[in-house]
Amino acid sequence: MNAVATTSPAGKLARESRFADPDAAFRLLAQAHRDLGERASAAFNTRLVLILANQIGDEEVLREAVALAREAS
């Protein structure tokens, strides 16, 4: 089953999962941190965020994502 992507009225950020198997995606990310220390894990996250931000390639969407992530903290 593929989830339908939805966007917020203010922009283009998908607010619902777009993964066919969200649990598998979560496991993949969690396993990527296996055996990494705190600093290596933070460095990995930084590289991954930059790679994915480049993939998005849309500053408006990136701004929405940053705002959403900050709200969650």
Side-chain angles (χ1 to χ4, degrees), residues 41-69:
S41 181
F44 171 82
N45 278 339
T46 300
R47 290 189 303 274
L48 183 60
V49 165
L50 291 172
I51 290 165
L52 295 175
N54 185 61
Q55 180 65 28
I56 291 168
D58 183 323
E59 190 173 342
E60 180 184 339
V61 173
L62 185 58
R63 285 183 191 280
E64 286 184 66
V66 167
L68 184 61

Side-chain angles (χ1 to χ4, degrees), residues 1-8 11-26 29 52 55-58 61-62 64-65 68:
M1 174 180 102
N2 287 330
V4 175
T6 60
T7 57
S8 68
K12 301 185 267 182
L13 182 67
R15 299 292 180 119
E16 294 180 3
S17 178
R18 297 172 73 183
F19 288 101
D21 185 351
D23 291 336
F26 178 82
L29 292 171
L52 295 175
Q55 180 65 28
I56 291 168
D58 183 323
V61 173
L62 185 58
E64 286 184 66
L68 184 61

